[in-house]
Amino acid sequence: MSVNEVEQKWEPKILVFACNWCTYAGADLAGLGRLQYPPNARILRVPCSGRVNPQFIIKAFQRGVDGVLVAGCHPGDCHYTTGNYFTRRRFLLMRRLMEYMGMEPERLQNRWISGSEGPKVQQVITEITEEIRALGPNRKLRDDQWNN
């Protein structure tokens, strides 16, 4: 199989860190409404988007994920009051760090999705999948490159 054929068969892997109280409920609503989004995304429920440690994001990229979405409650609506404000600050710092490391900062996305926005979950995951597909595979932080 040639490199070109492998590139054509490649599908992006996307990890979604979803706030339990809002985004995960929105994804559940999307499922109940039978709204389909690309199967490229794996949703990981977290108590709050503010609990997503930057090391989790780095580790996801090292393990071969091509894109990461951190999604939580709209600012001001956080179940834990200020969690999404921490998320916003960390997100900006992480994107700068990724740029410094030579990665495309677009591989890390942040969205605010409430529990009643099932169609928005579908729309956001579809958009991000297309953006990551256009960027191509993550080749910067892969563990297999560092273990040699």
Side-chain angles (χ1 to χ4, degrees):
M1 199 180 281
S2 71
V3 174
N4 210 8
E5 289 174 13
V6 171
E7 288 287 325
Q8 289 175 350
K9 290 184 180 190
W10 171 81
E11 281 293 322
K13 295 178 192 164
I14 299 167
L15 179 61
V16 179
F17 289 101
C19 161
N20 178 54
W21 303 101
C22 286
T23 306
Y24 193 80
D28 195 31
L29 182 63
L32 287 171
R34 299 196 185 276
L35 301 175
Q36 294 185 355
Y37 51 83
N40 307 58
R42 298 292 185 260
I43 299 177
L44 181 63
R45 180 170 52 176
V46 293
C48 176
S49 62
R51 299 291 298 165
V52 177
N53 189 317
Q55 289 178 339
F56 300 162
I57 296 168
I58 292 169
K59 189 56 107 175
F61 284 121
Q62 286 177 331
R63 296 282 168 98
V65 169
D66 300 302
V68 173
L69 168 64
V70 179
C73 307
H74 290 276
D77 289 340
C78 181
H79 187 76
Y80 298 103
T81 314
T82 58
N84 46 20
Y85 295 118
F86 289 114
T87 302
R88 189 166 36 191
R89 258 185 275 155
R90 284 185 187 140
F91 173 75
L92 295 172
L93 290 171
M94 278 300 298
R95 285 190 70 149
R96 277 198 237 153
L97 176 65
M98 289 175 65
E99 200 169 8
Y100 176 77
M101 293 184 332
M103 288 186 71
E104 300 91 346
E106 297 82 20
R107 291 189 183 279
L108 175 63
Q109 300 280 331
N110 177 237
R111 296 289 193 288
W112 311 123
I113 304 171
S114 76
S116 63
E117 295 179 313
K120 186 173 180 181
V121 171
Q122 175 193 31
Q123 173 195 355
V124 166
I125 290 177
T126 303
E127 287 174 2
I128 290 174
T129 300
E130 292 307 314
E131 288 177 29
I132 301 301
R133 187 175 283 128
L135 289 173
N138 164 26
R139 293 197 166 111
K140 278 288 180 191
L141 283 178
R142 303 276 307 245
D143 266 345
D144 53 356
Q145 293 174 343
W146 297 96
N147 290 335
N148 293 334

